């Protein structure tokens, strides 16, 4: 059955232009909507950290019950999300084919707003509700700059995953962003090449003997960006660098790989007399929630109450849930009925989308029941 309120809100928000770092038009609307539902709204300065035009939008509603529950979705979208014209055919929304649809993640935003409205209107005693609409999820994770002292919840739902409503994204890999620089020594390539240290060759040796690609069923590594500073054919290459990533859903494996990677590259460089510097930072950490976790049990109960088929499935990308889990808040991704996100064939199954609003409300009730049973 059509939910006019969700449909209209979705169209309103996807036709409001946004891109990572420039979300203020969407943020202003969401701040006003949260205030209308009765939330206290705080806007942080996350954008200042990466040249964005706004920060995260945080909404808090004090509860009648002890306990706090957290919801998030992101306000930005990948490029090609300006001038979106949604077209409905047979219960499915798509763009007109020239842009993305931005159901990733406006459908998540709308599901949360709908769930909050339903829960508040129910008149039931509720826990403290904490909502964060994040910036720049598709690029730098504005959620990294969220002041977690505002957040009391230990459990959270990031409405930001593809697939049918009822799909819980209960795991995602962590990722190291890695840059290696090799310093060799220049020399005349014809007169005295033996006096040089060839950084280009060392880089190639390093990569050709490195374990990469598929490491195991849950770990990968990829180094596609190679460069040397050289412009001269007749000088031994004195500098080379490469950049890539390592991912695993298992933190120990990811850290083991990084130890291996550093040892391997250092050994190859030193054997050739070159200097090496390795810059690696954990862009986000992996997480995995087993079925026994409270955050999963509540999701399952909520699906049952809403008549939605529940299933759990791990994903392959990073998302705000990775950031929140790293801060100690157990968070899973929640699907809202879209597929093909990040492409012009992105689509949103409306029946699933409408159910995702009720799912958010049922999550609040399922959690509230636990609070009042305590
Ligand atoms: Zn997303």
């Amino acid at each position: 059955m059509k939910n006019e309120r969700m449909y209209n809100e979705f169209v309103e928000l996807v036709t409001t232009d946004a891109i990572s770092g420039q979300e203020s038009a969407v943020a202003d609307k969401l701040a006003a909507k949260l205030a209308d539902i009765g939330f206290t709204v705080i806007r942080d300065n996350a954008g200042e950290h990466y040249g964005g035009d706004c920060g995260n939008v945080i909404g808090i509603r004090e509860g009648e019950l002890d306990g706090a529950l957290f919801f998030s979705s992101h306000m930005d979208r990948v490029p090609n999300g300006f001038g979106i014209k949604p077209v409905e055919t047979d219960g499915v929304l798509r763009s007109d084919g020239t842009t993305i649809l931005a159901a990733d993640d406006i459908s998540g935003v709308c599901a949360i707003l709908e769930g909050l409205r339903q829960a508040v209107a129910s008149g039931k005693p509720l826990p403290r509700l904490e909502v964060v609409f994040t910036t720049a999820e598709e690029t730098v994770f504005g959620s990294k700059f969220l002041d977690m002292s505002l957040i009391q919840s230990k459990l959270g739902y990031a409405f930001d995953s593809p697939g049918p409503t009822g799909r819980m994204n209960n795991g995602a890999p962590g990722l190291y962003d890695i840059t290696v620089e090799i310093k060799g020594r220049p020399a005349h390539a014809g007169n005295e090449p033996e006096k040089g240290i060839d950084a280009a060759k060392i880089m190639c040796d390093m990569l050709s003997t490195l374990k990469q690609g598929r490491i195991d069923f849950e770990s990968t590594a990829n180094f596609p960006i190679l460069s040397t500073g050289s412009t001269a054919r007749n000088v031994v290459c004195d500098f080379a660098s490469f950049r890539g990533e390592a991912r695993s859903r298992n933190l120990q494996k990811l850290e083991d790989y990084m130890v291996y990677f550093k040892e391997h590259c250092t050994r190859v460089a030193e054997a050739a007399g070159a200097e090496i510097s390795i810059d690696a930072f954990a862009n986000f950490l992996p997480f995995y929630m087993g079925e026994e976790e409270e955050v999963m049990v509540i999701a399952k109960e909520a699906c049952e109450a809403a008549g939605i088929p529940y299933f759990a499935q791990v994903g392959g990308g990073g998302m705000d849930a990775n950031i929140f889990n790293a801060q100690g808040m157990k968070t899973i991704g929640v699907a809202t009925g879209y597929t093909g996100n990040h492409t012009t064939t992105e689509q949103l199954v409306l029946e699933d989308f409408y159910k995702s609003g009720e799912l958010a409300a049922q999550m609040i009730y399922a959690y509230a029941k636990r609070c009042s049973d305590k």
Side-chain angles (χ1 to χ4, degrees):
M1 207 177 64
K2 186 163 184 178
N3 181 325
E4 293 279 351
R5 182 164 65 183
M6 287 185 77
Y7 184 93
N8 293 338
E9 192 150 67
F10 181 85
V11 171
E12 177 198 354
L13 291 172
V14 297
T15 55
T16 305
D17 288 345
I19 191 169
S20 303
Q22 290 167 52
E23 302 97 345
S24 60
V26 170
D28 291 348
K29 290 187 179 180
L30 296 184
K33 288 172 188 289
L34 283 170
D36 278 350
I37 306 172
F39 280 65
T40 302
V41 178
I42 301 161
R43 297 180 66 166
D44 70 17
N45 63 354
E48 289 172 16
H49 294 268
Y50 50 83
D53 71 357
C54 74
N56 300 299
V57 175
I58 303 119
I60 291 172
R61 182 186 181 277
E62 294 301 338
E64 297 80 33
L65 301 170
D66 287 339
L69 190 61
F70 177 91
F71 292 93
S72 80
S73 50
H74 63 86
M75 301 187 286
D76 62 318
R77 58 191 75 156
V78 294
N80 197 17
F82 286 176
I84 294 171
K85 295 181 196 72
V87 180
E88 183 187 345
T89 329
D90 299 330
V92 178
L93 265 187
R94 297 180 180 84
S95 73
D96 64 2
T98 63
T99 67
I100 58 162
L101 179 62
D104 175 7
D105 190 22
I106 293 299
S107 63
V109 169
C110 294
I112 292 171
L113 289 171
E114 177 67 15
L116 300 178
R117 288 194 187 101
Q118 288 185 18
V120 170
S122 74
K124 295 177 184 178
L126 300 176
R128 175 180 156 105
L129 297 173
E130 300 172 335
V131 180
V132 177
F133 294 128
T134 63
T135 57
E137 190 272 348
E138 301 286 3
T139 54
V140 296
F141 291 109
S143 56
K144 283 184 178 173
F145 307 105
L146 176 67
D147 177 1
M148 289 302 285
S149 72
L150 297 168
I151 305 301
Q152 297 174 8
S153 301
K154 298 283 176 277
L155 306 178
Y157 296 98
F159 277 61
D160 179 24
S161 291
T165 298
R167 173 176 180 257
M168 302 298 151
N169 186 346
N170 63 331
L175 184 148
Y176 268 88
D177 189 321
I178 306 162
T179 303
V180 174
E181 292 187 347
I182 301 153
K183 225 169 120 188
R185 187 194 305 138
H188 190 292
N191 290 342
E192 44 184 13
E194 47 284 294
K195 288 197 176 164
I197 298 174
D198 186 348
K201 180 179 185 304
I202 295 164
M203 172 169 71
C204 294
D205 289 346
M206 220 172 255
L207 286 170
S208 68
T209 51
L210 178 75
K211 281 186 269 177
Q212 56 181 304
R214 163 77 54 198
I215 307 296
D216 64 39
F217 76 99
E218 57 186 351
S219 313
T220 58
N222 185 45
F223 297 92
I225 306 167
L226 280 62
S227 63
T228 72
S230 294
T231 52
R233 171 183 46 74
N234 55 0
V235 182
V236 172
C237 175
D238 68 340
F239 180 82
S241 72
F242 64 94
R243 182 165 172 232
E245 60 163 52
R247 296 181 190 233
S248 180
R249 286 198 296 271
N250 180 312
L251 181 58
Q252 189 59 52
K253 285 181 180 173
L254 186 57
E255 285 177 349
D256 288 349
Y257 182 82
M258 290 311 301
V259 170
Y260 154 77
F261 178 88
K262 287 176 185 171
E263 280 175 4
H264 171 83
C265 293
T266 303
R267 185 162 19 86
V268 173
E270 285 178 352
E275 283 175 39
I276 184 169
S277 76
I278 300 172
D279 180 27
F281 71 97
N283 194 351
F284 47 87
L285 297 175
F287 74 92
Y288 178 77
M289 292 292 144
E291 299 276 352
E292 72 291 352
E293 294 281 354
E294 194 176 19
V295 69
M296 298 294 287
V297 175
I298 290 170
K300 197 171 183 179
E301 283 175 17
C303 283
E304 277 164 12
I308 297 166
Y310 160 96
F311 70 104
Q313 193 180 48
V314 294
M319 55 179 177
D320 280 340
N322 292 71
I323 308 302
F324 298 131
N325 277 297
Q327 301 263 18
M329 181 166 56
K330 292 186 173 179
T331 310
I332 59 170
V334 179
T336 48
Y338 64 76
T339 49
N341 46 319
H342 299 193
T343 74
T344 54
T345 57
E346 182 179 11
Q347 62 174 52
L348 180 65
V349 176
L350 287 168
E351 204 53 47
D352 269 355
F353 172 54
Y354 300 146
K355 280 186 194 160
S356 67
E358 193 190 342
L359 175 62
Q362 291 293 349
M363 284 168 162
I364 296 172
Y365 305 148
Y367 180 72
K369 184 166 181 304
R370 283 160 181 263
C371 299
S372 38
D373 286 352
K374 264 176 200 155

